[in-house]
Amino acid sequence: MQTREQLYREALRKVQSRRQRATMLAQQKYNDTCRQIPQLPRLLADLNRNRAFAARYTLIGAAAQAEQCRRQADEAEQALQALLAENHLQLQQLDPVFTCPLCQDKGEYQGRTCQCVHTLVRQLRRKEISRISALELSHFDSFRLDLYPNEVWPDIQTSPRAHMAEILAYCKAYAAHFSLKNPNLLMTGTAGLGKTHLALAIANEALQKGADVIYISSRNLFDQLEREKYTPSSDLASTVQQAELLILDDLGTEYITPYGISFLYDLVNSRMLRQLPTIYTTNITREDMLRTRYTEKTASRLLGSCELLAFYGNDIRLLEK
């Protein structure tokens, strides 16, 4: 998992590589054209030289010399245009073809990082998340409410289908209006009820809006942190703490240690103080189990900082097969 800064460095390298390739291909095309039209380099040189001298003479007030150079430049341009027309060629065809017309693949436009770099960063993050999750399959449109029971369950006094329709609508609105002001979410429910699906559907839309999204399973996070706990500065720790949207999936499946509990508390607390939204998913459905596993202090901070979305139904993964 790369930090935001690492993604931007990689994106800039890719953009600059595009520029190098475009420039190289243009030079090759120019060389090939000059071999086919030997007069071309001389006429271009004459045109550019006389234009440069005309400008220089104008600056120093030598009007006669400037006028003579302009005349010679016009003659060179007329000869060049005739040569190009004879060979069915336009001079612009010899220019580099850049991927981004704004920055010409420099990565900067009007003193700021070009939009093409931001777009590439989102693509790189999406690719990274897709490697470890079902991101490309997880959309609101593919969330199947028909797989949830339509009978009323006494515990919730409605049907799981109706209940999940409300959760789906909430998640759609959450994603549609995503910003750093969004609340944290704690999605709870037994396995196979679509928690990860809806969390990734939100991630899809947040990525489209340009947010830096990090998705990681709780098991992978805590395993890596345990290996890095003696590292003075962990890129992983700072990445999950600073992401604009963090999705911590399957909380409760990790091997828990005192260090892990301490880190989880710091993570919940630091992201809450920075007002960075986090989506937690867990199969733990009872508060007492959450408090027993993570301590009263950590569980209270987690529960107190999140909107609770309780998922109900039967394992839809079994019904989809």
Side-chain angles (χ1 to χ4, degrees), residues 9-72:
R9 285 197 295 271
E10 183 178 349
L12 278 171
R13 284 196 299 270
K14 286 181 178 292
V15 168
Q16 290 162 1
S17 176
R18 290 172 180 172
R19 181 175 175 83
Q20 290 173 354
R21 178 171 174 76
T23 303
M24 180 189 70
L25 290 175
Q27 186 62 51
Q28 289 176 352
K29 187 171 184 178
Y30 175 77
N31 293 340
D32 292 342
T33 304
C34 288
R35 282 192 288 270
Q36 296 169 11
I37 313 174
Q39 310 96 307
L40 182 61
R42 178 182 60 78
L43 286 174
L44 282 171
D46 287 348
L47 176 61
N48 292 330
R49 183 178 63 254
N50 281 296
R51 281 177 172 172
F53 276 120
R56 187 179 304 172
Y57 283 134
T58 299
L59 283 174
I60 63 175
Q65 292 93 328
E67 180 58 31
Q68 181 182 0
C69 288
R70 277 194 290 270
R71 230 178 7 252
Q72 291 172 339

Side-chain angles (χ1 to χ4, degrees), residues 158-209:
T158 186
S159 70
R161 186 176 302 178
H163 177 80
M164 293 307 300
E166 292 180 2
I167 286 184
L168 175 61
Y170 179 91
C171 290
K172 282 182 176 180
Y174 185 99
H177 304 288
F178 180 80
S179 75
L180 298 187
K181 295 180 180 180
N182 277 32
N184 301 326
L185 302 180
L186 177 61
M187 297 180 172
T188 69
T190 54
L193 295 183
K195 300 184 296 295
T196 300
H197 185 120
L198 287 185
L200 289 173
I202 292 171
N204 262 308
E205 295 207 18
L207 284 166
Q208 289 292 337
K209 294 177 183 294

Side-chain angles (χ1 to χ4, degrees), residues 94-268:
L94 303 179
D95 292 339
V97 180
F98 298 112
T99 303
C100 178
L102 291 179
C103 72
Q104 297 187 331
D105 296 341
K106 295 175 183 176
E108 186 177 295
Y109 179 66
Q110 296 182 341
R112 295 185 176 185
T113 301
C114 185
Q115 188 58 45
C116 68
V117 178
H118 297 305
T119 299
L120 191 51
V121 165
R122 290 198 297 273
Q123 292 171 350
L124 290 170
R125 183 66 87 194
R126 174 178 290 278
K127 186 176 179 181
E128 183 180 74
I129 296 175
S130 294
R131 283 199 299 266
I132 57 174
S133 73
L135 180 68
E136 300 305 324
L137 301 175
S138 300
H139 301 278
F140 293 121
D141 290 345
S142 59
F143 190 78
R144 293 184 56 186
L145 287 171
D146 63 299
L147 296 178
Y148 294 85
N150 204 24
E151 303 79 25
V152 173
W153 284 18
D155 289 351
I156 56 176
Q157 298 183 342
T158 186
S159 70
R161 186 176 302 178
H163 177 80
M164 293 307 300
E166 292 180 2
I167 286 184
L168 175 61
Y170 179 91
C171 290
K172 282 182 176 180
Y174 185 99
H177 304 288
F178 180 80
S179 75
L180 298 187
K181 295 180 180 180
N182 277 32
N184 301 326
L185 302 180
L186 177 61
M187 297 180 172
T188 69
T190 54
L193 295 183
K195 300 184 296 295
T196 300
H197 185 120
L198 287 185
L200 289 173
I202 292 171
N204 262 308
E205 295 207 18
L207 284 166
Q208 289 292 337
K209 294 177 183 294
D212 180 39
V213 180
I214 294 294
Y215 167 88
I216 191 168
S217 73
S218 180
R219 180 179 298 177
N220 286 340
L221 173 62
F222 288 102
D223 283 352
Q224 291 181 55
L225 287 172
E226 197 66 30
R227 291 193 293 270
E228 296 179 8
K229 67 180 178 181
Y230 298 114
T231 304
S233 59
S234 166
D235 280 346
L236 177 62
S238 63
T239 298
V240 296
Q241 286 170 340
Q242 296 172 16
E244 291 177 333
L245 172 62
L246 171 65
I247 297 175
L248 184 55
D249 199 20
D250 279 337
L251 192 64
T253 60
E254 73 285 341
Y255 176 73
I256 199 67
T257 65
Y259 174 76
I261 293 174
S262 174
F263 179 83
L264 179 60
Y265 177 83
D266 289 340
L267 177 66
V268 174

